[in-house]
């Protein structure tokens, strides 16, 4: 049966590359001649060991990850890392400095307070998170273990366009919604956390890239499963990992490499987001409240001039096979999430639909 072609603008779980999905389907019942499915084979098998090794190598190549960093493939989603990062990195009474730029960094702050000392070094809450504080606004503590920020606020639609400059202090960043969409200098980070279900693969997996020398000093009574050092030593297999998620992640890494790597992903993201923002700004009917220099390339919230038309917009969009455009409940309006797997044709179809809708209803 051929699948109905829809463009899925969901914030996550989100669209995955069509080629990857086809490969998953083709080899689902028989993984590499094993006579078993990837979801049936042991994580201790030689097939899985090969897959784990390749995914490590491919992600290292994609982000140019230095040898003194470990890549962990864990369960628990990105939210688990809001606790695990401070549990592992704030032991001994150290302070984590946090930049508060939206709902996701806010949740990380709340969670970190349960596990260590937190200093909110800068916040754009008063500006309703429509801007990202500049370096001159940071009030860093004396000797922070790290400076934490959410690289892309999936709900509000603000994105750091450059990596914050905090000298030698390690950065810890939640890159759940923009990892692999732009090059980064990993050596500036103590840890990078990224839930999989946007740019990496299916939900149920979180990727952590962590600097080796920072781990192994966890807080007292840390559950074994939450100890980065244990997970690093055991190759993320202290217990059974999310084998299917890890497998699909590996295929997505190969797909990105084949497309030309992160530079190509960035090029595509700039092209998609620039034309959608332009369409919004030129319309007079649609609006995006985020300051232009901080606008996300991945998640684009927008409003209609007349809110009463929201439901009609969503219904007509769905009929045009443009789905999952409803904005987050805390923000309202619409949101178009366009991750690496979103083809330009999807973005073009949305813009055409929006123009047509405005003509008919504007
Ligand atoms: N951080 C960011 C930036 C996110 O967008 C999300 C999910 N949308 C999360 C964290 C939480 O991810 P999870 O549901 O995997 O815990």
């Amino acid at each position: 049966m051929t699948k109905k072609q829809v463009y899925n603008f969901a914030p996550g779980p989100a669209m995955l590359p069509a080629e990857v999905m086809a490969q998953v389907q083709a080899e689902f019942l028989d993984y590499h001649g094993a006579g078993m499915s990837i979801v049936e084979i042991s994580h201790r098998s030689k097939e899985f060991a090969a897959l784990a090794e390749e995914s490590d190598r491919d992600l290292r190549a994609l982000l140019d990850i230095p040898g003194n960093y470990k890549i962990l493939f864990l369960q628990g989603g990105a939210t688990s890392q809001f606790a695990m990062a401070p549990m592992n990195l704030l032991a001994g009474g150290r302070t984590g400095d946090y930049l508060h730029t939206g709902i996701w960094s806010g949740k990380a702050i709340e969670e970190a307070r349960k596990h260590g000392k937190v200093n909110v070094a800068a916040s754009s809450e008063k500006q309703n998170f429509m801007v990202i504080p500049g370096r001159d606004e940071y009030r860093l503590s004396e000797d922070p273990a790290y400076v934490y920020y959410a690289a892309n606020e999936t709900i509000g639609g603000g994105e750091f366009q450059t990596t914050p400059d905090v000298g030698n202090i390690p950065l810890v960043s939640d890159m759940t919604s923009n990892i692999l969409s732009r090059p980064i200098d990993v050596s500036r980070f103590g840890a990078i956390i990224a839930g999989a279900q946007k740019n990496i693969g299916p939900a149920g997996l979180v990727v952590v890239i962590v600097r080796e020398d920072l781990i192994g000093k966890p807080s007292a009574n840390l559950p074994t499963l939450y100890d980065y050092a244990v997970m690093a030593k055991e190759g993320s297999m202290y217990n059974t990992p999310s084998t299917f998620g890890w497998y699909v992640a590996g295929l997505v890494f190969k797909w990105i490499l084949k497309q030309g790597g992160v530079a190509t992903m960035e090029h595509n993201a700039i092209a998609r987001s620039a034309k959608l923002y332009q369409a919004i700004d030129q319309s007079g009917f649609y609006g995006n409240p985020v300051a232009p220099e901080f606008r996300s390339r991945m998640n684009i919230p927008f409003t209609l001039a007349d809110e009463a038309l929201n439901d009609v917009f969503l219904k007509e969009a769905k009929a045009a096979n443009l789905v999952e455009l409803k904005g987050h409940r805390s923000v309202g309006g619409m949101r178009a999430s366009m991750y690496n797997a979103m083809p330009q044709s999807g973005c073009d179809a949305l813009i055409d639909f929006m123009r047509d809708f405005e003509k008919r209803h504007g």
Side-chain angles (χ1 to χ4, degrees):
M1 201 179 80
T2 47
K3 173 171 143 0
K4 179 163 87 173
Q5 170 67 58
V6 304
Y7 292 114
N8 173 8
F9 294 90
M15 249 180 126
L16 287 174
E19 292 107 286
V20 168
M21 296 300 280
Q23 188 176 346
V24 171
Q25 183 183 38
E27 62 190 23
F28 190 67
L29 296 183
D30 185 0
Y31 182 72
H32 293 198
M36 294 178 278
S37 169
I38 186 66
V39 296
E40 297 172 312
I41 66 170
S42 167
H43 57 296
R44 310 276 179 210
S45 63
K46 69 173 188 338
E47 288 88 355
F48 201 85
L51 175 167
E53 202 183 300
E54 272 182 51
S55 60
D56 185 283
R57 194 186 59 213
D58 290 343
L59 185 56
R60 252 173 227 286
L62 282 169
L63 290 176
D64 204 7
I65 301 174
N68 61 327
Y69 284 76
K70 294 285 189 189
I71 305 175
L72 312 178
F73 291 84
L74 308 178
Q75 302 195 47
T79 305
S80 67
Q81 298 310 311
F82 295 168
M84 264 176 86
M87 280 171 158
N88 280 272
L89 306 174
L90 292 186
R94 300 201 62 189
T95 300
D97 281 357
Y98 279 70
L99 309 181
H100 190 193
T101 56
I103 288 178
W104 290 112
S105 49
K107 289 198 171 188
I109 290 167
E110 264 176 57
E111 190 65 25
R113 286 198 168 113
K114 299 183 189 167
H115 305 286
K117 285 194 201 127
V118 167
N119 166 47
V120 178
S123 171
S124 53
E125 193 170 15
K126 283 206 185 85
Q127 293 96 326
N128 211 12
F129 303 125
M130 292 304 135
V131 297
I132 285 177
R135 176 65 185 87
D136 53 331
E137 293 167 69
Y138 299 3
R139 297 283 169 267
L140 298 181
S141 55
E142 202 161 305
D143 180 29
Y146 57 75
V147 173
Y148 179 103
Y149 73 106
N152 182 61
E153 288 282 1
T154 321
I155 295 172
E159 180 174 10
F160 281 78
Q161 300 302 332
T162 54
T163 303
D165 182 2
V166 291
N168 290 331
I169 308 166
L171 291 160
V172 172
S173 184
D174 174 3
M175 296 193 183
T176 295
S177 51
N178 72 351
I179 193 160
L180 294 168
S181 72
R182 55 167 76 222
I184 42 165
D185 176 1
V186 174
S187 72
R188 293 174 62 186
F189 294 85
I192 292 168
I193 65 186
Q197 65 271 22
K198 301 159 198 298
N199 267 336
I200 294 180
L205 177 77
V206 54
V207 174
V208 178
I209 302 166
V210 63
R211 218 176 79 193
E212 245 169 357
D213 62 295
L214 300 176
I215 61 179
K217 294 161 268 192
S219 52
N221 304 322
L222 181 72
T224 312
L225 206 53
Y226 302 162
D227 189 334
Y228 286 152
V230 171
M231 279 306 193
K233 182 164 163 279
E234 301 290 336
S236 305
M237 293 193 222
Y238 176 77
N239 69 335
T240 316
S242 165
T243 50
F244 182 72
W246 196 337
Y247 152 73
V248 180
L251 297 183
V252 170
F253 299 156
K254 287 194 188 302
W255 177 81
I256 299 174
L257 283 167
K258 213 168 97 195
Q259 305 296 305
V262 170
T264 306
M265 298 300 111
E266 180 177 46
H267 173 87
N268 294 347
I270 291 172
R272 280 188 308 258
S273 56
K275 54 189 169 189
L276 182 50
Y277 282 121
Q278 195 181 38
I280 291 170
D281 290 343
Q282 285 174 350
S283 76
F285 180 75
Y286 302 104
N288 170 288
V290 182
E293 63 271 38
F294 305 120
R295 284 172 164 182
S296 169
R297 296 173 182 166
M298 300 279 107
N299 309 96
I300 305 184
F302 61 94
T303 51
L304 275 52
D306 179 2
E307 275 196 27
L309 288 170
N310 283 357
D311 287 345
V312 189
F313 182 92
L314 289 168
K315 203 168 140 222
E316 289 191 11
K318 191 166 179 205
N321 293 323
L322 306 166
V323 303
E324 300 283 350
L325 283 160
K326 194 176 164 102
H328 189 268
R329 58 193 180 279
S330 66
V331 177
M334 306 297 149
R335 172 175 45 169
S337 296
M338 301 188 291
Y339 300 111
N340 287 343
M342 175 60 71
Q344 299 294 333
S345 57
C347 180
D348 295 340
L350 175 62
I351 293 169
D352 287 347
F353 168 78
M354 286 167 68
R355 292 206 169 115
D356 180 58
F357 186 87
E358 182 182 352
K359 252 189 232 141
R360 289 182 293 106
H361 298 279

